[in-house]
Amino acid sequence: MSEPLVLGIETSCDETGVGIVRGHTLLADAVASSVDEHARFGGVVPEVASRAHLEAMVPTIERACETAGIQLRDVDAVAVTNGPGLAGALLVGVAAAKALALGLGKPIYGVNHLASHVAVDQLEHGPLPEPCVAMLVSGGHSSLLRVTDVTGQDGGVDPMGQTIDDAAGEAFDKVARLLGLPFPGGPHIDRSAREGNTVAIDFPRGLTSRRDLERHRFDFSFSGLKTAVARWVEAKERAGEPVPVADVAASFQEAVCDVLVRKALDAASSEGIEDLLIGGGVAANSRLRFLAEDRAEKLGIRVRVPRPGLCTDNGAMVAALGAEMVARGRTPSSLDLPADSSLPVTEVLAV
């Protein structure tokens, strides 16, 4: 089957995503976000997210089918994120996908959330270059992966590095809160940073010293950076001085993006790989995109980044990976596939 029609369901965090793709062509990408319900808490509340998924699931599926101009019976397969993510939220999506697969008599593919962030780029830029290095940066993950087969066949997704504490997106949210900016913090810091000076404050670059690089060459750490920002802001407030929000945002953002790009390009160069793919919510950051493309060009490395709407969590990415599973003849998952909140990236397809 060269052009499978696949419906994908994504509920790993606070967004109910339903995508429909035919091969590498995106037909529908319906998203119902509960971010406004979490904003007053300054972060995602798992129970609130799970209830929001329950309420949004059926309307979002209906909206996706209407946009794509299909009936549910037309799909060739159903794909769903079965991990990693919030346990309760994942369970809602997995249960919905099982019900659809059983009721329609269609195969089900339980797929890895992180690998889906890699696969979604095919919807915009065509087939993935394999091998490639993928850097995934979001609120829960900062990872470097060597990808030789996005479906995970024969160890096709190999971890090279990951965060050892706060992920990049988590650091953005925490620093935004320090600066009095709304949740989620990433877009607000990005906007504020455009009015600031990237070298106004010399914030630390985590895990970049010679000793750190010996043990954590491709790993990330943003907890120390977050703490450094907090102490700098507190010192200003104790002195009764105004906090230059734009300069703090710009300097913090520069420290994060500098480390991310530096390590990603080092990973690609060390493997002799000429293609770097960037995905996840933080991939929508304008400074990260600029630095990656600017520095990569000097090294002869090509950079692929999906448009911002496909970087954040969505059903299209799950459908894209599901379609690739069908096209490559991967064995579908069983109907008793679990939801696994700590699913390792090496387990791309649930058995």
Side-chain angles (χ1 to χ4, degrees):
M1 187 182 301
S2 59
E3 294 288 336
L5 181 66
V6 178
L7 181 146
I9 296 175
E10 155 60 28
T11 62
S12 66
C13 193
D14 62 334
E15 291 174 318
T16 308
V18 178
I20 299 173
V21 306
R22 186 183 296 280
H24 294 163
T25 302
L26 177 61
L27 303 181
D29 181 23
V31 177
S33 176
S34 60
V35 65
D36 291 342
E37 299 176 45
H38 303 284
R40 61 194 177 104
F41 300 105
V44 176
V45 181
E47 293 82 359
V48 173
S50 299
R51 184 174 295 276
H53 288 312
L54 281 170
E55 295 174 351
M57 183 59 65
V58 172
T60 308
I61 291 174
E62 291 176 343
R63 181 154 50 94
C65 288
E66 182 179 356
T67 301
I70 69 160
Q71 300 292 321
L72 277 175
R73 63 176 177 269
D74 298 332
V75 303
D76 298 307
V78 177
V80 62
T81 298
N82 74 305
L86 302 175
L90 289 168
L91 282 168
V92 177
V94 169
K98 288 179 178 180
L100 283 175
L102 184 62
L104 297 171
K106 305 292 183 179
I108 185 171
Y109 293 84
V111 299
N112 192 291
H113 177 83
L114 299 180
S116 296
H117 273 302
V118 178
V120 73
D121 188 68
Q122 297 184 134
L123 301 180
E124 191 160 13
H125 300 123
L128 289 176
E130 294 176 338
C132 70
V133 168
M135 179 171 68
L136 305 182
V137 279
S138 66
H141 307 280
S142 295
S143 306
L144 281 171
L145 311 171
R146 187 179 190 276
V147 181
T148 55
D149 185 331
V150 72
T151 65
Q153 187 82 344
D154 299 323
V157 179
D158 182 34
M160 298 182 67
Q162 61 185 351
T163 183
I164 63 173
D165 44 52
D166 286 357
E170 186 178 4
F172 269 94
D173 288 338
K174 290 179 177 178
V175 169
R177 191 183 311 170
L178 283 170
L179 298 177
L181 299 174
F183 174 85
H188 297 285
I189 285 184
D190 195 358
R191 282 192 289 270
S192 182
R194 294 168 192 169
E195 305 299 323
N197 184 348
T198 60
V199 296
I201 309 161
D202 185 19
F203 286 132
R205 269 66 167 163
L207 297 184
T208 58
S209 70
R210 180 174 298 179
R211 178 178 297 181
D212 286 329
L213 290 174
E214 291 176 357
R215 297 176 298 168
H216 298 287
R217 182 177 177 183
F218 302 131
D219 292 325
F220 302 101
S221 171
F222 297 108
S223 180
L225 171 59
K226 171 205 66 182
T227 301
V229 175
R231 288 176 176 168
W232 195 93
V233 170
E234 289 166 2
K236 281 289 185 182
E237 292 174 340
R238 281 197 304 270
E241 300 176 12
V243 175
V245 172
D247 284 346
V248 174
S251 299
F252 161 76
Q253 179 175 267
E254 192 71 11
V256 174
C257 295
D258 177 31
V259 171
L260 289 172
V261 172
R262 191 188 310 183
K263 294 200 173 220
L265 293 177
D266 184 25
S269 297
S270 72
E271 295 289 316
I273 293 176
E274 297 180 346
D275 293 279
L276 171 64
L277 186 150
I278 306 176
V282 180
N285 181 273
S286 62
R287 186 60 178 168
L288 177 61
R289 287 170 173 254
F290 172 80
L291 284 181
E293 292 171 359
D294 181 60
R295 295 181 185 178
E297 184 179 7
K298 298 171 184 175
L299 297 173
I301 294 175
R302 295 178 291 270
V303 176
R304 291 169 51 137
V305 191
R307 63 180 181 271
L310 293 179
C311 290
T312 53
D313 294 346
N314 58 81
M317 69 185 197
V318 179
L321 183 52
E324 198 65 23
M325 295 289 182
V326 178
R328 298 194 190 191
R330 301 294 183 252
T331 302
S333 306
S334 63
L335 272 173
D336 62 351
L337 70 99
D340 187 346
S341 61
S342 57
L343 186 70
V345 69
T346 50
E347 295 182 22
V348 177
L349 175 63
V351 296

